Amino acid sequence: MQILVTGGTGYIGSHTVVELLNHGDDVVIVDNLSNSHPIVLERIEIITDKRPDFIKADVCNFEKMNEVFSKYQFDSIIHFAGSKAVGESVEKPLLYYRNNIESTWVLVELMEKYNVPSIIFSSSATVYGQPDINPITEDFSYQCTNPYGRTKMINELFLKDTTVAYPNISAISLRYFNPIGAHESGLIGEDPQGIPNNLMPYITQVAIGKLEKLSIFGDDYDTHDGTGVRDYIHVVDLAKGHVAAVNYLQEHKDTSFLAVNLGTGIGYSVLDIVHAFEKIIGREIPYQITDRRLGDIATCYANPKKAKELLNWEAKFDLEKMCEDSWRWQIKNPKGYVRSNVF
Ligand code: NAD
Ligand code: WQD
């Protein structure tokens, strides 16, 4: 199949492109490189022996995207492109609402025009906000607590409405839990700009000596050790979930809209992650306990049953593998893509 991958040079996008190419699909990446590096394309080629077509463009640019759609006949779209930092979304709601919503609008408008039958959308467990109970199933209500989360919710509602109005279009919204890890080659991985917001890149940067110590945001939550519990999922498992979703819609053309959790179903605390990582590197990670981070919740993990039943997908990699691969990526690329040891 010919697949358009927006945001395909980003963290999750690049791993998904690798899985699609390995699966035998043809891939066209559109990315404006606002949060990624073009060297990713070379890395993808080293891993897969195939080079995806790449177009540097903003998905919100209708005219440019119209040119792309007129050149290729896509069988499906995977839409990763977007802005993803919760804190930044509070400061810059205009940027978030525009980038995250207009991009999907442009794509669906062009899907209708060029008869592209399906789209897989990158959603997030953040749409559930603070759930009353865990594990979380897809029928839990929206409880978004920040602009970023609300852009994901609005996208889902938009896709629901448009897939009802245009029965020739199907959509699956994949609600990711906490992606970590990297491709086992160490060639592609997460490359945050500046000081990382997320736990695993922070830990790996402490381990390599780039940051002094980890701050653990609160140890007084109602969890087994007081620190926050999340459902960490290996990015390669997540990437495979996208291949499964594309295939599902290829075989179930009468689908309108589906929301599906991609998680492992297992909740680990911050201290569980720190200790698992320490085991891999054979030394301690310096940390201090600080106040809770504003907006954080105690516990969030998925019920992944729907993904298994519908997509025949389930996460395979355990926490040890997630830590091992995160660490390999970090030591091979101590400064990220720009000045790595690999090239
Ligand atoms: P990322 O920033 O690494 O990748 C996003 C890519 O999209 C980047 O390469 C960026 O340059 C590109 N991009 C952004 N706006 C664009 C635009 N208007 N036009 C073209 N390209 C554009 O992020 P990621 O972690 O790979 O996340 C991918 C998607 O998954 C995002 O939509 C994000 O909201 C969602 N998501 C991520 C996480 C996570 O923890 N990483 C969790 C849940 C959902
Ligand atoms: C995990 C745990 C922190 C950093 C975020 C977004 C969510 C989704 C995934 C996009 C929490 C603790 C963290 C640190 C810490 N992204 N922590 N010290 O907050 O679950 O989810 O990323 O959709 O929308 O909100 O992930 O990795 O930031 O935090 O103690 O330096 O680690 O409090 O318990 P989070 P995270």
Side-chain angles (χ1 to χ4, degrees):
M1 283 193 277
Q2 174 91 262
I3 320 278
L4 169 63
V5 181
T6 75
T9 47
Y11 173 44
I12 306 169
S14 56
H15 289 81
T16 303
V17 169
V18 165
E19 294 308 316
L20 289 167
L21 293 172
N22 285 342
H23 178 257
D25 294 311
D26 294 321
V27 174
V28 178
I29 295 175
V30 172
D31 199 301
N32 63 3
L33 302 178
S34 58
N35 197 35
S36 54
H37 197 284
I39 204 171
V40 168
L41 298 165
E42 287 168 40
R43 305 286 180 88
I44 290 172
E45 192 174 1
I46 296 170
I47 296 169
T48 63
D49 222 10
K50 292 175 194 160
R51 194 168 179 107
D53 286 4
F54 174 72
I55 297 149
K56 182 171 183 237
D58 190 324
V59 183
C60 300
N61 183 335
F62 186 88
E63 294 312 319
K64 183 74 192 168
M65 292 307 292
N66 192 38
E67 277 173 35
V68 175
F69 275 71
S70 61
K71 185 168 168 203
Y72 298 94
Q73 181 54 53
F74 297 120
D75 298 297
S76 190
I77 298 172
I78 309 182
H79 180 31
F80 294 105
S83 307
K84 64 165 180 176
V86 170
E88 189 186 46
S89 79
V90 177
E91 287 156 28
K92 300 179 182 169
L94 283 174
L95 168 73
Y96 274 70
Y97 278 92
R98 176 161 186 169
N99 203 33
N100 289 3
I101 293 171
E102 194 173 4
S103 51
T104 315
W105 172 79
V106 166
L107 291 173
V108 175
E109 183 94 12
L110 291 168
M111 288 173 75
E112 181 56 11
K113 183 171 171 188
Y114 290 96
N115 292 318
V116 179
S118 69
I119 181 165
I120 311 301
F121 175 69
S122 292
S123 188
S124 169
T126 202
V127 298
Y128 298 116
Q130 173 129 31
D132 297 331
I133 50 164
N134 280 279
I136 299 169
T137 50
E138 290 81 353
D139 56 353
F140 280 28
S141 60
Y142 290 118
Q143 288 191 44
C144 314
T145 54
N146 55 68
Y148 168 71
R150 283 188 276 277
T151 67
K152 293 297 178 192
M153 175 188 73
I154 291 167
N155 268 294
E156 290 197 353
L157 297 174
F158 170 70
L159 288 170
K160 240 183 220 175
D161 287 340
T162 46
T163 50
V164 168
Y166 308 112
N168 52 330
I169 297 180
S170 307
I172 293 183
S173 183
L174 295 175
R175 295 175 175 167
Y176 317 151
F177 281 68
N178 288 55
I180 59 171
H183 191 268
E184 68 176 358
S185 62
L187 287 168
I188 54 173
E190 187 172 11
D191 184 20
Q193 305 302 306
I195 296 176
N197 294 317
N198 296 115
L199 180 64
M200 184 53 90
Y202 206 106
I203 291 176
T204 61
Q205 292 196 14
V206 170
I208 206 163
K210 216 170 148 180
L211 295 169
E212 194 195 333
K213 60 174 136 172
L214 173 71
S215 293
I216 295 185
F217 301 141
D219 66 351
D220 56 352
Y221 286 106
D222 184 16
T223 62
H224 62 271
D225 59 20
T227 65
V229 166
R230 299 289 183 275
D231 186 335
Y232 296 92
I233 175 169
H234 196 296
V235 66
V236 172
D237 274 331
L238 198 67
K240 289 182 174 157
H242 291 75
V243 179
V246 168
N247 290 336
Y248 178 88
L249 289 183
Q250 179 70 10
E251 286 159 19
H252 299 83
K253 293 191 188 297
D254 56 341
T255 307
S256 50
F257 173 86
L258 289 171
V260 180
N261 288 340
L262 291 187
T264 63
I266 303 168
Y268 287 112
S269 72
V270 178
L271 281 171
D272 290 335
I273 301 295
V274 169
H275 296 321
F277 194 82
E278 287 175 336
K279 243 174 130 180
I280 297 299
I281 64 169
R283 56 194 160 85
E284 288 187 358
I285 293 289
Y287 70 80
Q288 61 184 354
I289 306 291
T290 63
D291 288 344
R292 292 180 178 193
R293 183 172 64 180
L294 200 70
D296 270 357
I297 57 174
T299 302
C300 167
Y301 59 93
N303 179 334
K305 219 170 136 197
K306 189 170 175 185
K308 174 72 180 154
E309 283 170 4
L310 277 185
L311 311 180
N312 195 24
W313 170 93
E314 63 188 330
K316 296 268 193 295
F317 295 133
D318 62 13
L319 183 56
E320 190 183 340
K321 170 84 172 149
M322 295 185 221
C323 292
E324 253 172 34
D325 289 342
S326 296
W327 183 228
R328 187 179 305 103
W329 156 253
Q330 180 69 77
I331 48 182
K332 277 188 139 184
N333 308 267
K335 293 185 174 144
Y337 282 115
V338 183
R339 280 180 289 158
S340 71
N341 283 347
V342 180
F343 294 114

